[in-house]
Amino acid sequence: MKAPDGNKLAILHALNQGDFISGQAIGEQLGISRAAVGKHITSLQEMGLDIYKVNGKGYRLSRPLSLLEQSDIEVAYQQLDGAGCEFEVQPIIDSTNTELMRRLQQGKVHNNSVLVAEMQKQGKGRRGRVWQSPFAANLYYSYYWRLDDGMHAAMGLSIAVGLAVYDSLKALYDLDVQLKWPNDVLVNGRKLAGVLVELDGTAEGPCHLVIGIGLNVAMPQTSADNIDQPWCDLSEFCDDINKNQLVAVLTCFLQKRLAQYQQQGLQGMYQQWNNVHAFAGQCVELSSGTSSWRGICEGIDEQGAVVLRVDGQSKRYFGGEISLRVKS
Ligand code: ATP
């Protein structure tokens, strides 16, 4: 997909004011021709944005979009008594996680930095998989966190992050999501969000963590066609989604869960996680490379390992590279 340039973003902001706006008026605002406006609008439409035209009136978005604004995020965060995080909004980026990792290598990232983007050109899932990240549609969020207790202490962190997503969606929209080990957020078995924790560090020294969250807000069909498993977006369940508020709330809950994690690991959290576990009591298959194991999924333990009942015995499986699939 071709990335939108600054003019397309400006056109989108003009359209997002709500009323019809003519190509002529947009062109005058941006200092470009009406024909150029028309071309940009066609390519925004090709990217899945629902913009329509009425002769004599101009262009309009079929529904208002929630666009990211740094100042709105900061205000919402302060209203929640949030403190300690710095926010940055990028229109388009390769991947918010990759960017924070890059800054980390260059020594240019502060602890508790949050980076969000309107679009990722190379959104990532685990093991090189693609995270669909169309423009102005969903939330692409990364948080940098430094943990001084060595890499081992970071095992199981995606459990705490999943709970922070759960807390946020419950608080904002009264939405009950389920969590899938180790890193997915589902509604009725369909994927609403994914978590990707990347780390850099040594066994004993400080551990640098980049916590990525991709959360579907209003997925256009063109991108949905590229997702090869059941998915959903927030717009199916809630109205008036404000991405800036979502960023602020998510950040506050994430800070709380990270602090809790730092103090007690998953001790106070794993049972909560088990209460919202997507596949509790179901027959599942775990796979890693060429190995796979089947059993009844019992949940997770206090270390964040998934526990399967196999031949009458409980067995624990741990590791960032294991996939879990439900088997009927
Ligand atoms: P695992 O169980 O191993 O985590 P997974 O399929 O959930 O498997 P992830 O790496 O977590 O893998 O996520 C990437 C996968 O998620 C993609 O291969 C695709 O199937 C799906 N996917 C990609 N983009 C989206 C999106 N925006 N919303 C929902 N699902 C997506």
Side-chain angles (χ1 to χ4, degrees), residues 124-127 129-134 138 140 180-184 191-196 214 216 219 226-232 321-325:
K124 298 188 288 189
R126 296 197 301 160
R127 278 165 287 162
R129 285 186 286 235
V130 173
W131 187 259
Q132 292 298 322
S133 308
N138 305 320
Y140 318 116
K180 177 191 163 210
W181 188 88
N183 67 330
D184 289 341
K191 193 145 139 182
L192 174 69
V195 171
L196 179 69
N216 297 333
M219 179 75 81
N226 297 321
I227 303 178
D228 55 2
Q229 61 176 293
W231 63 274
C232 61
E321 298 303 306
I322 301 181
S323 282
L324 184 150
R325 292 277 179 273

mmCIF file of all heavy atoms in Angstrom, residues 124-127 129-134 138 140 180-184 191-196 214 216 219 226-232 321-325, ligand 1:
data_model
loop_
_atom_site.group_PDB
_atom_site.id
_atom_site.type_symbol
_atom_site.label_atom_id
_atom_site.label_comp_id
_atom_site.label_asym_id
_atom_site.label_seq_id
_atom_site.Cartn_x
_atom_site.Cartn_y
_atom_site.Cartn_z
ATOM 1 N N LYS A 124 3.916 -5.326 12.727
ATOM 2 C CA LYS A 124 4.465 -6.664 12.979
ATOM 3 C C LYS A 124 3.618 -7.487 13.940
ATOM 4 O O LYS A 124 3.119 -6.967 14.936
ATOM 5 C CB LYS A 124 5.842 -6.541 13.653
ATOM 6 C CG LYS A 124 6.877 -5.845 12.831
ATOM 7 C CD LYS A 124 8.250 -5.946 13.490
ATOM 8 C CE LYS A 124 8.383 -5.088 14.713
ATOM 9 N NZ LYS A 124 9.762 -5.014 15.233
ATOM 10 N N GLY A 125 3.499 -8.772 13.651
ATOM 11 C CA GLY A 125 2.998 -9.739 14.627
ATOM 12 C C GLY A 125 4.207 -10.514 15.129
ATOM 13 O O GLY A 125 5.343 -10.061 14.982
ATOM 14 N N ARG A 126 3.973 -11.680 15.701
ATOM 15 C CA ARG A 126 5.118 -12.476 16.155
ATOM 16 C C ARG A 126 5.751 -13.187 14.964
ATOM 17 O O ARG A 126 5.097 -13.426 13.952
ATOM 18 C CB ARG A 126 4.648 -13.503 17.188
ATOM 19 C CG ARG A 126 4.110 -12.809 18.431
ATOM 20 C CD ARG A 126 4.038 -13.752 19.606
ATOM 21 N NE ARG A 126 3.202 -14.913 19.356
ATOM 22 C CZ ARG A 126 3.297 -16.034 20.067
ATOM 23 N NH1 ARG A 126 4.173 -16.141 21.023
ATOM 24 N NH2 ARG A 126 2.481 -17.042 19.807
ATOM 25 N N ARG A 127 6.986 -13.557 15.124
ATOM 26 C CA ARG A 127 7.748 -14.338 14.139
ATOM 27 C C ARG A 127 7.535 -13.875 12.693
ATOM 28 O O ARG A 127 7.175 -14.645 11.808
ATOM 29 C CB ARG A 127 7.379 -15.823 14.247
ATOM 30 C CG ARG A 127 8.126 -16.492 15.366
ATOM 31 C CD ARG A 127 7.559 -17.805 15.726
ATOM 32 N NE ARG A 127 6.311 -17.651 16.439
ATOM 33 C CZ ARG A 127 5.411 -18.608 16.590
ATOM 34 N NH1 ARG A 127 5.604 -19.769 16.055
ATOM 35 N NH2 ARG A 127 4.322 -18.382 17.279
ATOM 36 N N ARG A 129 5.270 -12.208 11.269
ATOM 37 C CA ARG A 129 3.936 -12.080 10.687
ATOM 38 C C ARG A 129 3.540 -10.611 10.588
ATOM 39 O O ARG A 129 4.062 -9.764 11.308
ATOM 40 C CB ARG A 129 2.920 -12.860 11.507
ATOM 41 C CG ARG A 129 3.077 -14.357 11.250
ATOM 42 C CD ARG A 129 2.001 -15.127 11.934
ATOM 43 N NE ARG A 129 2.250 -15.169 13.356
ATOM 44 C CZ ARG A 129 2.326 -16.287 14.071
ATOM 45 N NH1 ARG A 129 2.170 -17.438 13.500
ATOM 46 N NH2 ARG A 129 2.532 -16.247 15.361
ATOM 47 N N VAL A 130 2.602 -10.358 9.684
ATOM 48 C CA VAL A 130 2.220 -8.961 9.410
ATOM 49 C C VAL A 130 1.026 -8.582 10.265
ATOM 50 O O VAL A 130 0.078 -9.361 10.410
ATOM 51 C CB VAL A 130 1.853 -8.816 7.912
ATOM 52 C CG1 VAL A 130 1.280 -7.427 7.626
ATOM 53 C CG2 VAL A 130 3.072 -9.087 7.046
ATOM 54 N N TRP A 131 1.076 -7.367 10.835
ATOM 55 C CA TRP A 131 -0.091 -6.814 11.531
ATOM 56 C C TRP A 131 -0.699 -5.755 10.618
ATOM 57 O O TRP A 131 -0.064 -4.756 10.298
ATOM 58 C CB TRP A 131 0.306 -6.197 12.880
ATOM 59 C CG TRP A 131 -0.910 -5.789 13.663
ATOM 60 C CD1 TRP A 131 -1.415 -4.521 13.780
ATOM 61 C CD2 TRP A 131 -1.796 -6.643 14.377
ATOM 62 N NE1 TRP A 131 -2.570 -4.548 14.533
ATOM 63 C CE2 TRP A 131 -2.828 -5.841 14.912
ATOM 64 C CE3 TRP A 131 -1.835 -8.023 14.604
ATOM 65 C CZ2 TRP A 131 -3.874 -6.362 15.670
ATOM 66 C CZ3 TRP A 131 -2.887 -8.540 15.364
ATOM 67 C CH2 TRP A 131 -3.884 -7.713 15.889
ATOM 68 N N GLN A 132 -1.924 -5.996 10.158
ATOM 69 C CA GLN A 132 -2.572 -5.055 9.235
ATOM 70 C C GLN A 132 -2.774 -3.711 9.929
ATOM 71 O O GLN A 132 -3.422 -3.644 10.974
ATOM 72 C CB GLN A 132 -3.928 -5.603 8.772
ATOM 73 C CG GLN A 132 -3.829 -6.831 7.889
ATOM 74 C CD GLN A 132 -3.092 -6.557 6.593
ATOM 75 O OE1 GLN A 132 -3.241 -5.482 6.006
ATOM 76 N NE2 GLN A 132 -2.275 -7.500 6.157
ATOM 77 N N SER A 133 -2.250 -2.651 9.340
ATOM 78 C CA SER A 133 -2.213 -1.353 10.017
ATOM 79 C C SER A 133 -2.621 -0.215 9.078
ATOM 80 O O SER A 133 -1.829 0.695 8.809
ATOM 81 C CB SER A 133 -0.799 -1.084 10.534
ATOM 82 O OG SER A 133 -0.320 -2.153 11.302
ATOM 83 N N PRO A 134 -3.846 -0.278 8.524
ATOM 84 C CA PRO A 134 -4.233 0.748 7.548
ATOM 85 C C PRO A 134 -4.331 2.144 8.166
ATOM 86 O O PRO A 134 -4.497 2.286 9.384
ATOM 87 C CB PRO A 134 -5.598 0.267 7.065
ATOM 88 C CG PRO A 134 -6.108 -0.590 8.158
ATOM 89 C CD PRO A 134 -4.910 -1.246 8.777
ATOM 90 N N ASN A 138 -7.067 2.294 12.873
ATOM 91 C CA ASN A 138 -6.945 1.570 14.146
ATOM 92 C C ASN A 138 -5.922 2.262 15.040
ATOM 93 O O ASN A 138 -5.374 3.293 14.671
ATOM 94 C CB ASN A 138 -6.492 0.136 13.869
ATOM 95 C CG ASN A 138 -7.411 -0.576 12.897
ATOM 96 O OD1 ASN A 138 -8.626 -0.407 12.986
ATOM 97 N ND2 ASN A 138 -6.851 -1.315 11.969
ATOM 98 N N TYR A 140 -2.237 2.026 16.743
ATOM 99 C CA TYR A 140 -0.917 1.387 16.717
ATOM 100 C C TYR A 140 -0.092 2.081 17.789
ATOM 101 O O TYR A 140 0.221 3.267 17.648
ATOM 102 C CB TYR A 140 -0.280 1.508 15.327
ATOM 103 C CG TYR A 140 -1.295 1.248 14.231
ATOM 104 C CD1 TYR A 140 -1.664 2.241 13.327
ATOM 105 C CD2 TYR A 140 -1.943 0.013 14.156
ATOM 106 C CE1 TYR A 140 -2.639 2.018 12.365
ATOM 107 C CE2 TYR A 140 -2.915 -0.228 13.200
ATOM 108 C CZ TYR A 140 -3.260 0.784 12.311
ATOM 109 O OH TYR A 140 -4.237 0.557 11.379
ATOM 110 N N LYS A 180 -6.254 -14.483 25.082
ATOM 111 C CA LYS A 180 -5.726 -15.759 24.583
ATOM 112 C C LYS A 180 -4.229 -15.796 24.843
ATOM 113 O O LYS A 180 -3.538 -14.837 24.501
ATOM 114 C CB LYS A 180 -6.006 -15.862 23.078
ATOM 115 C CG LYS A 180 -5.446 -17.104 22.450
ATOM 116 C CD LYS A 180 -5.510 -17.057 20.935
ATOM 117 C CE LYS A 180 -4.562 -18.108 20.377
ATOM 118 N NZ LYS A 180 -3.998 -17.758 19.097
ATOM 119 N N TRP A 181 -3.758 -16.894 25.428
ATOM 120 C CA TRP A 181 -2.334 -17.004 25.734
ATOM 121 C C TRP A 181 -1.516 -17.073 24.449
ATOM 122 O O TRP A 181 -1.920 -17.797 23.534
ATOM 123 C CB TRP A 181 -2.100 -18.275 26.566
ATOM 124 C CG TRP A 181 -0.701 -18.382 27.087
ATOM 125 C CD1 TRP A 181 -0.215 -17.870 28.245
ATOM 126 C CD2 TRP A 181 0.385 -19.063 26.465
ATOM 127 N NE1 TRP A 181 1.105 -18.178 28.375
ATOM 128 C CE2 TRP A 181 1.507 -18.913 27.289
ATOM 129 C CE3 TRP A 181 0.540 -19.772 25.260
ATOM 130 C CZ2 TRP A 181 2.752 -19.447 26.980
ATOM 131 C CZ3 TRP A 181 1.779 -20.295 24.948
ATOM 132 C CH2 TRP A 181 2.865 -20.137 25.807
ATOM 133 N N PRO A 182 -0.379 -16.379 24.297
ATOM 134 C CA PRO A 182 0.101 -15.449 25.313
ATOM 135 C C PRO A 182 -0.229 -13.997 25.019
ATOM 136 O O PRO A 182 0.001 -13.156 25.865
ATOM 137 C CB PRO A 182 1.632 -15.644 25.206
ATOM 138 C CG PRO A 182 1.861 -15.933 23.755
ATOM 139 C CD PRO A 182 0.628 -16.638 23.251
ATOM 140 N N ASN A 183 -0.759 -13.688 23.819
ATOM 141 C CA ASN A 183 -0.681 -12.273 23.433
ATOM 142 C C ASN A 183 -1.872 -11.702 22.673
ATOM 143 O O ASN A 183 -1.722 -10.657 22.035
ATOM 144 C CB ASN A 183 0.580 -12.067 22.570
ATOM 145 C CG ASN A 183 0.469 -12.794 21.233
ATOM 146 O OD1 ASN A 183 -0.195 -13.817 21.152
ATOM 147 N ND2 ASN A 183 1.073 -12.261 20.208
ATOM 148 N N ASP A 184 -3.008 -12.370 22.680
ATOM 149 C CA ASP A 184 -4.119 -11.836 21.878
ATOM 150 C C ASP A 184 -5.304 -11.424 22.744
ATOM 151 O O ASP A 184 -5.521 -11.969 23.824
ATOM 152 C CB ASP A 184 -4.612 -12.896 20.873
ATOM 153 C CG ASP A 184 -3.611 -13.132 19.768
ATOM 154 O OD1 ASP A 184 -2.736 -12.270 19.568
ATOM 155 O OD2 ASP A 184 -3.703 -14.191 19.127
ATOM 156 N N LYS A 191 -10.290 -11.806 16.857
ATOM 157 C CA LYS A 191 -9.171 -11.003 17.377
ATOM 158 C C LYS A 191 -9.429 -9.508 17.232
ATOM 159 O O LYS A 191 -9.619 -8.990 16.144
ATOM 160 C CB LYS A 191 -7.929 -11.407 16.589
ATOM 161 C CG LYS A 191 -6.650 -10.942 17.147
ATOM 162 C CD LYS A 191 -5.613 -12.017 16.878
ATOM 163 C CE LYS A 191 -4.287 -11.464 16.452
ATOM 164 N NZ LYS A 191 -3.331 -12.540 16.167
ATOM 165 N N LEU A 192 -9.410 -8.836 18.382
ATOM 166 C CA LEU A 192 -9.609 -7.385 18.414
ATOM 167 C C LEU A 192 -8.266 -6.668 18.528
ATOM 168 O O LEU A 192 -8.090 -5.569 17.994
ATOM 169 C CB LEU A 192 -10.482 -7.032 19.632
ATOM 170 C CG LEU A 192 -10.693 -5.556 19.946
ATOM 171 C CD1 LEU A 192 -11.555 -4.898 18.860
ATOM 172 C CD2 LEU A 192 -11.359 -5.367 21.304
ATOM 173 N N ALA A 193 -7.346 -7.278 19.245
ATOM 174 C CA ALA A 193 -6.055 -6.625 19.476
ATOM 175 C C ALA A 193 -4.971 -7.675 19.633
ATOM 176 O O ALA A 193 -5.246 -8.827 19.970
ATOM 177 C CB ALA A 193 -6.125 -5.757 20.737
ATOM 178 N N GLY A 194 -3.742 -7.256 19.386
ATOM 179 C CA GLY A 194 -2.597 -8.133 19.589
ATOM 180 C C GLY A 194 -1.530 -7.377 20.369
ATOM 181 O O GLY A 194 -1.435 -6.149 20.278
ATOM 182 N N VAL A 195 -0.761 -8.125 21.133
ATOM 183 C CA VAL A 195 0.316 -7.529 21.933
ATOM 184 C C VAL A 195 1.636 -8.127 21.437
ATOM 185 O O VAL A 195 1.725 -9.327 21.205
ATOM 186 C CB VAL A 195 0.124 -7.882 23.433
ATOM 187 C CG1 VAL A 195 1.332 -7.475 24.258
ATOM 188 C CG2 VAL A 195 -1.150 -7.240 23.975
ATOM 189 N N LEU A 196 2.615 -7.287 21.247
ATOM 190 C CA LEU A 196 3.940 -7.778 20.855
ATOM 191 C C LEU A 196 4.979 -7.111 21.746
ATOM 192 O O LEU A 196 5.225 -5.915 21.640
ATOM 193 C CB LEU A 196 4.219 -7.426 19.385
ATOM 194 C CG LEU A 196 5.579 -7.874 18.863
ATOM 195 C CD1 LEU A 196 5.664 -9.397 18.760
ATOM 196 C CD2 LEU A 196 5.876 -7.263 17.493
ATOM 197 N N GLY A 214 -1.562 -3.421 19.055
ATOM 198 C CA GLY A 214 -2.345 -3.038 17.873
ATOM 199 C C GLY A 214 -3.788 -3.326 18.208
ATOM 200 O O GLY A 214 -4.126 -4.454 18.585
ATOM 201 N N ASN A 216 -7.786 -2.879 16.911
ATOM 202 C CA ASN A 216 -8.638 -2.501 15.777
ATOM 203 C C ASN A 216 -9.760 -1.581 16.234
ATOM 204 O O ASN A 216 -10.490 -1.901 17.173
ATOM 205 C CB ASN A 216 -9.240 -3.750 15.134
ATOM 206 C CG ASN A 216 -8.171 -4.650 14.558
ATOM 207 O OD1 ASN A 216 -7.103 -4.187 14.180
ATOM 208 N ND2 ASN A 216 -8.462 -5.943 14.492
ATOM 209 N N MET A 219 -11.834 -1.051 11.045
ATOM 210 C CA MET A 219 -10.997 -1.663 9.999
ATOM 211 C C MET A 219 -11.661 -1.549 8.619
ATOM 212 O O MET A 219 -12.790 -1.999 8.436
ATOM 213 C CB MET A 219 -10.842 -3.145 10.352
ATOM 214 C CG MET A 219 -10.040 -3.942 9.378
ATOM 215 S SD MET A 219 -8.302 -3.606 9.534
ATOM 216 C CE MET A 219 -7.911 -4.634 10.904
ATOM 217 N N ASN A 226 -6.998 -9.034 4.017
ATOM 218 C CA ASN A 226 -5.659 -9.641 4.174
ATOM 219 C C ASN A 226 -5.483 -10.363 5.506
ATOM 220 O O ASN A 226 -4.394 -10.841 5.801
ATOM 221 C CB ASN A 226 -4.578 -8.559 4.084
ATOM 222 C CG ASN A 226 -4.558 -7.901 2.724
ATOM 223 O OD1 ASN A 226 -4.736 -8.587 1.720
ATOM 224 N ND2 ASN A 226 -4.372 -6.605 2.677
ATOM 225 N N ILE A 227 -6.506 -10.388 6.342
ATOM 226 C CA ILE A 227 -6.367 -11.061 7.647
ATOM 227 C C ILE A 227 -6.904 -12.480 7.521
ATOM 228 O O ILE A 227 -8.066 -12.674 7.168
ATOM 229 C CB ILE A 227 -7.124 -10.291 8.755
ATOM 230 C CG1 ILE A 227 -6.619 -8.843 8.828
ATOM 231 C CG2 ILE A 227 -6.924 -10.975 10.103
ATOM 232 C CD1 ILE A 227 -7.337 -7.983 9.849
ATOM 233 N N ASP A 228 -6.038 -13.455 7.816
ATOM 234 C CA ASP A 228 -6.412 -14.843 7.541
ATOM 235 C C ASP A 228 -6.961 -15.563 8.773
ATOM 236 O O ASP A 228 -6.783 -16.758 8.928
ATOM 237 C CB ASP A 228 -5.205 -15.596 6.964
ATOM 238 C CG ASP A 228 -3.986 -15.490 7.869
ATOM 239 O OD1 ASP A 228 -4.095 -14.870 8.956
ATOM 240 O OD2 ASP A 228 -2.924 -16.028 7.512
ATOM 241 N N GLN A 229 -7.562 -14.822 9.700
ATOM 242 C CA GLN A 229 -8.234 -15.476 10.833
ATOM 243 C C GLN A 229 -9.363 -14.560 11.308
ATOM 244 O O GLN A 229 -9.402 -13.376 10.941
ATOM 245 C CB GLN A 229 -7.242 -15.778 11.950
ATOM 246 C CG GLN A 229 -6.556 -14.570 12.539
ATOM 247 C CD GLN A 229 -5.658 -14.983 13.702
ATOM 248 O OE1 GLN A 229 -6.145 -15.420 14.718
ATOM 249 N NE2 GLN A 229 -4.354 -14.839 13.522
ATOM 250 N N PRO A 230 -10.311 -15.066 12.101
ATOM 251 C CA PRO A 230 -11.427 -14.211 12.529
ATOM 252 C C PRO A 230 -10.929 -12.994 13.308
ATOM 253 O O PRO A 230 -10.051 -13.110 14.161
ATOM 254 C CB PRO A 230 -12.244 -15.137 13.439
ATOM 255 C CG PRO A 230 -11.872 -16.516 13.034
ATOM 256 C CD PRO A 230 -10.442 -16.449 12.598
ATOM 257 N N TRP A 231 -11.483 -11.851 13.005
ATOM 258 C CA TRP A 231 -11.057 -10.595 13.623
ATOM 259 C C TRP A 231 -12.299 -9.755 13.908
ATOM 260 O O TRP A 231 -13.393 -10.033 13.421
ATOM 261 C CB TRP A 231 -10.114 -9.815 12.681
ATOM 262 C CG TRP A 231 -10.814 -9.431 11.407
ATOM 263 C CD1 TRP A 231 -10.928 -10.198 10.286
ATOM 264 C CD2 TRP A 231 -11.564 -8.231 11.162
ATOM 265 N NE1 TRP A 231 -11.708 -9.552 9.346
ATOM 266 C CE2 TRP A 231 -12.105 -8.345 9.868
ATOM 267 C CE3 TRP A 231 -11.839 -7.080 11.903
ATOM 268 C CZ2 TRP A 231 -12.903 -7.346 9.292
ATOM 269 C CZ3 TRP A 231 -12.625 -6.090 11.329
ATOM 270 C CH2 TRP A 231 -13.149 -6.235 10.041
ATOM 271 N N CYS A 232 -12.139 -8.705 14.671
ATOM 272 C CA CYS A 232 -13.231 -7.746 14.869
ATOM 273 C C CYS A 232 -12.627 -6.381 15.159
ATOM 274 O O CYS A 232 -11.410 -6.254 15.305
ATOM 275 C CB CYS A 232 -14.161 -8.188 16.001
ATOM 276 S SG CYS A 232 -13.345 -8.333 17.590
ATOM 277 N N GLU A 321 7.698 -18.327 21.716
ATOM 278 C CA GLU A 321 7.531 -18.773 20.325
ATOM 279 C C GLU A 321 6.448 -19.837 20.173
ATOM 280 O O GLU A 321 6.329 -20.453 19.126
ATOM 281 C CB GLU A 321 8.860 -19.338 19.801
ATOM 282 C CG GLU A 321 9.984 -18.306 19.770
ATOM 283 C CD GLU A 321 9.631 -17.070 18.944
ATOM 284 O OE1 GLU A 321 9.246 -17.232 17.777
ATOM 285 O OE2 GLU A 321 9.707 -15.948 19.480
ATOM 286 N N ILE A 322 5.682 -20.054 21.212
ATOM 287 C CA ILE A 322 4.653 -21.095 21.124
ATOM 288 C C ILE A 322 3.322 -20.498 20.672
ATOM 289 O O ILE A 322 2.917 -19.439 21.123
ATOM 290 C CB ILE A 322 4.467 -21.802 22.494
ATOM 291 C CG1 ILE A 322 5.776 -22.438 22.949
ATOM 292 C CG2 ILE A 322 3.385 -22.863 22.405
ATOM 293 C CD1 ILE A 322 5.687 -23.168 24.281
ATOM 294 N N SER A 323 2.654 -21.218 19.748
ATOM 295 C CA SER A 323 1.317 -20.803 19.301
ATOM 296 C C SER A 323 0.266 -21.715 19.902
ATOM 297 O O SER A 323 0.488 -22.920 20.027
ATOM 298 C CB SER A 323 1.201 -20.945 17.786
ATOM 299 O OG SER A 323 1.842 -19.883 17.173
ATOM 300 N N LEU A 324 -0.854 -21.149 20.229
ATOM 301 C CA LEU A 324 -1.947 -21.937 20.794
ATOM 302 C C LEU A 324 -3.152 -21.864 19.859
ATOM 303 O O LEU A 324 -3.544 -20.769 19.441
ATOM 304 C CB LEU A 324 -2.282 -21.387 22.175
ATOM 305 C CG LEU A 324 -3.332 -22.097 23.013
ATOM 306 C CD1 LEU A 324 -3.023 -21.923 24.492
ATOM 307 C CD2 LEU A 324 -4.740 -21.557 22.728
ATOM 308 N N ARG A 325 -3.697 -22.996 19.531
ATOM 309 C CA ARG A 325 -4.895 -23.033 18.680
ATOM 310 C C ARG A 325 -5.937 -23.920 19.356
ATOM 311 O O ARG A 325 -5.589 -24.973 19.893
ATOM 312 C CB ARG A 325 -4.590 -23.627 17.299
ATOM 313 C CG ARG A 325 -3.689 -22.754 16.453
ATOM 314 C CD ARG A 325 -4.523 -21.665 15.745
ATOM 315 N NE ARG A 325 -3.677 -20.812 14.945
ATOM 316 C CZ ARG A 325 -3.040 -19.736 15.394
ATOM 317 N NH1 ARG A 325 -3.150 -19.375 16.643
ATOM 318 N NH2 ARG A 325 -2.307 -18.990 14.603
HETATM 319 P P1 ATP B 1 -0.219 -16.952 17.711
HETATM 320 O O1 ATP B 1 -1.295 -17.797 18.294
HETATM 321 O O2 ATP B 1 1.025 -17.700 17.427
HETATM 322 O O3 ATP B 1 -0.003 -15.669 18.449
HETATM 323 P P2 ATP B 1 -1.376 -15.351 15.727
HETATM 324 O O4 ATP B 1 -1.934 -15.764 14.418
HETATM 325 O O5 ATP B 1 -2.288 -14.741 16.713
HETATM 326 O O6 ATP B 1 -0.727 -16.610 16.287
HETATM 327 P P3 ATP B 1 0.312 -12.983 15.882
HETATM 328 O O7 ATP B 1 1.738 -12.877 15.484
HETATM 329 O O8 ATP B 1 -0.050 -12.759 17.281
HETATM 330 O O9 ATP B 1 -0.140 -14.398 15.415
HETATM 331 O O10 ATP B 1 -0.536 -11.985 14.984
HETATM 332 C C1 ATP B 1 -0.381 -11.936 13.581
HETATM 333 C C2 ATP B 1 -1.587 -12.563 12.914
HETATM 334 O O11 ATP B 1 -2.779 -11.875 13.298
HETATM 335 C C3 ATP B 1 -1.554 -12.459 11.392
HETATM 336 O O12 ATP B 1 -0.884 -13.545 10.837
HETATM 337 C C4 ATP B 1 -3.041 -12.391 11.016
HETATM 338 O O13 ATP B 1 -3.586 -13.683 10.967
HETATM 339 C C5 ATP B 1 -3.664 -11.698 12.191
HETATM 340 N N1 ATP B 1 -3.791 -10.222 11.992
HETATM 341 C C6 ATP B 1 -3.008 -9.381 11.281
HETATM 342 N N2 ATP B 1 -3.422 -8.112 11.397
HETATM 343 C C7 ATP B 1 -4.505 -8.141 12.198
HETATM 344 C C8 ATP B 1 -5.380 -7.142 12.707
HETATM 345 N N3 ATP B 1 -5.227 -5.835 12.442
HETATM 346 N N4 ATP B 1 -6.391 -7.550 13.503
HETATM 347 C C9 ATP B 1 -6.577 -8.852 13.824
HETATM 348 N N5 ATP B 1 -5.762 -9.838 13.384
HETATM 349 C C10 ATP B 1 -4.747 -9.483 12.587
#
